[in-house]
Amino acid sequence: MVVFAGQGDPRRSLSLLWRADAPPPARGGPGPKPRLSVDAIVAAAVALADEEGMAALSMRAVGDRLGRTAMALYTYVPGKSELLDLMYDAVHAELPTAYPESDSGDWRAALTAWAGEVLEFHVRHPWVLQVSQARPVLGPHEYAGLDTLVTLLRATDLPAGVVRRLVGTLFPFVRGSAQAVADARLAAAATGSSDEEWWAARSAALLELVPDFAERFPAVSGLEAEGPVEPYPGEGAESVPYPEREARETFRVGLGVLLDGIEAARAGRT
């Protein structure tokens, strides 16, 4: 499921994102019902998406969480499209906008820290991965995240044109790695079988049905035969399921190679 941001009325959406117009007064009333506001609606929607996924998101479901009808929400947020933009931008406020490593001029350590933060952010909010990057939300927190990465990359002293392309390289790389981690966590619950059960059943069947597998796919088989990959070194790695460990180690190694490439590009300019 892929959704596209920016599907609501442009001026109304951007006004809500940037809080450019005065919001309607919070509604009070008898009884224990919470007072409504844009922020309260967004917080309830984010909690719903975090717990149940993007498919569960609707104005009615958010209203139920707040003890109100869907109609009561429309005074504050025109519809689901605008709500999605607000949710997406709101959660991006969690990301740091400064990294201590950059203060000492260690651009590589700063980018490594940035990538780790962005990975864990997407793992916390996997529904964000379903929001296409083809059309940005254009909200303040999304821009703050972009500005942070550009600042870190400018410390490499690479030309502006190269920095632009590196932004377009690093963001998809980290999002893709986060998707692999999120999928690894979801697979067992979604399919009803553990990773061990799935691999055991299919590996046995594959070897039986394709006895010449190694001859047909020598590169893949040769890679496996050369020895096991380095284990994921993260804290508490033994308690992390194998697919997630693999995804995280792939992220670590891949990021290192990308940063090596940046280092080589810098060296080529001297």
Side-chain angles (χ1 to χ4, degrees):
M1 177 182 179
V2 176
V3 296
F4 291 90
Q7 296 300 294
D9 175 77
R11 192 189 186 287
R12 182 62 173 142
S13 293
L14 291 172
S15 175
L16 283 166
L17 283 165
W18 292 86
R19 302 298 196 270
D21 294 336
R27 293 181 176 179
K33 290 184 178 180
R35 295 167 65 85
L36 281 180
S37 67
V38 172
D39 289 339
I41 293 169
V42 172
V46 168
L48 175 65
D50 284 347
E51 294 171 17
E52 301 183 34
M54 183 75 80
L57 183 66
S58 69
M59 297 295 279
R60 178 177 180 178
V62 175
D64 288 344
R65 284 202 163 223
L66 294 168
R68 300 298 182 95
T69 64
M71 291 302 298
L73 275 56
Y74 289 117
T75 300
Y76 301 85
V77 179
K80 182 179 175 180
S81 293
E82 291 86 356
L83 178 58
L84 177 63
D85 289 357
L86 289 165
M87 293 165 58
Y88 183 91
D89 195 64
V91 293
H92 277 77
E94 298 175 14
L95 291 171
T97 55
Y99 290 84
E101 295 86 352
S102 63
D103 295 338
S104 61
D106 192 343
W107 62 266
R108 184 174 185 125
L111 284 172
T112 299
W114 169 86
E117 290 280 0
V118 175
L119 176 79
E120 297 304 336
F121 161 79
H122 284 96
V123 172
R124 287 196 303 275
H125 305 293
W127 57 270
V128 171
L129 294 165
Q130 296 176 244
V131 181
S132 171
Q133 297 294 282
R135 294 181 178 178
V137 168
L138 305 179
H141 299 304
E142 182 185 49
Y143 268 116
L146 176 60
D147 197 69
T148 298
L149 178 57
V150 171
T151 298
L152 298 180
L153 285 169
R154 293 292 273 179
T156 65
D157 295 323
L158 289 170
V162 175
V163 167
R164 287 177 63 91
R165 301 312 171 201
L166 287 174
V167 169
T169 299
L170 287 169
F171 263 126
F173 168 74
V174 177
R175 278 175 58 99
S177 299
Q179 185 73 67
V181 173
D183 288 349
R185 292 186 172 187
L186 179 63
T191 63
S193 63
S194 69
D195 297 310
E196 292 76 10
E197 293 169 339
W198 190 92
W199 278 108
R202 278 155 183 79
S203 294
L206 188 62
L207 289 174
E208 177 186 347
L209 297 170
V210 193
D212 60 341
F213 183 91
E215 289 75 25
R216 293 177 64 180
F217 307 103
V220 173
S221 300
L223 192 63
E224 292 291 329
E226 286 184 18
V229 297
E230 291 295 321
Y232 171 60
E235 183 179 350
E238 64 281 352
S239 64
V240 179
Y242 175 78
E244 181 174 342
R245 292 201 306 271
E246 285 293 287
R248 288 183 176 276
E249 181 61 3
T250 298
F251 164 72
R252 185 185 71 83
V253 173
L255 178 63
V257 172
L258 284 174
L259 298 182
D260 287 345
I262 294 176
E263 189 71 74
R266 294 180 74 241
R269 299 186 67 241
T270 59

